Each structure stands twice: as structure tokens, then as C-alpha cells.
Amino acid sequence: MNDTDLLNGRRFVMISSTASAVDADAPTEFAYEESGGVIWGHYTGDTVIHGRFVGTRDADRIELSYVHLLKTGERASGRSTSRIETAEDGRLRLVEEFQFEGDDATHISVCAEVPS
């Protein structure tokens, strides 16, 4: 996976997370932009009103920082490392290990690409 704009314009939805239950009817949706291995984007849904992320991608590995506003009015931020996988149907999956700022626990989430 060396396409420098591999994630540009792709959308993903969270399908599982060890940090919280995922609302299957309104999962968090992520919109990715990428140029030359630099990644940025936004997300919303489930418990998140609005979130932003920025980072880098090297081959099938993503490293990024994120911050979001929750429906409770609280903010959360942290860092993550994701592995890009290709599903049998050709769509991408992101398997992410993440930590919230101020919390030593490592959580895992899985996001599936939304067909365009």
C-alpha cells in the first residue's frame, strides 16, 4: 500500500470498539483526506458531535492525533495507530489501537469503508 493518496475521499464507519458500545443505527462516521502521506479529516455520530484528526500514513500504518466534542459537552483527545487491511470485497478496514489523553488504557476499534 504505497499509493500516496490511498485514503483521500474515503469514508469509514465504526463497527466495533472496546472503549464503548457502537450504535449500529448511527455509528461514528469518519471522512479521510490524504495528500502525500499526510492525513486529516473529521468525524461525527454516535456519542460524538464533532471530531477532527491529523496525522501521517506510511504504507499500511496510520499514526494520528484526534480531538472531539461529545454530546455530554465534554472534550476528548488522544493518539492512535491504525493498520489498514483489505477485506474480501476489496473495501478497506482500519484496525486502530488508541489511547485517550490522561488514560493509560489502550482501546481497539475497527472501522469499515463505506461503499462510494
Side-chain angles (χ1 to χ4, degrees):
M1 291 186 193
N2 291 322
D3 180 352
T4 59
D5 298 336
L6 176 70
L7 298 174
N8 194 49
R10 294 186 191 242
R11 300 178 89 70
F12 296 83
V13 292
M14 185 175 292
I15 57 174
S16 68
S17 175
T18 60
S20 64
V22 175
D23 182 348
D25 294 326
T28 305
E29 184 170 331
F30 301 81
Y32 277 74
E33 301 297 330
E34 180 177 12
S35 179
V38 176
I39 293 173
W40 67 95
H42 64 275
Y43 54 101
T44 188
D46 204 348
T47 61
V48 176
I49 292 175
H50 188 78
R52 295 282 183 168
F53 58 88
V54 64
T56 58
R57 181 180 65 83
D58 183 15
D60 67 345
R61 194 154 184 84
I62 300 168
E63 293 191 21
L64 54 81
S65 297
Y66 61 88
V67 63
H68 56 253
L69 180 64
L70 296 165
K71 289 181 179 177
T72 62
E74 296 176 290
R75 290 180 308 236
S77 63
R79 296 181 178 273
S80 70
T81 301
S82 299
R83 182 179 70 252
I84 303 170
E85 299 178 345
T86 303
E88 289 182 17
D89 62 6
R91 289 185 292 158
L92 300 181
R93 287 171 34 115
L94 305 178
V95 180
E96 175 183 64
E97 291 186 9
F98 64 98
Q99 287 185 311
F100 290 107
E101 188 174 309
D103 182 358
D104 291 336
T106 298
H107 302 281
I108 298 173
S109 68
V110 178
C111 294
E113 184 176 7
V114 177
S116 49

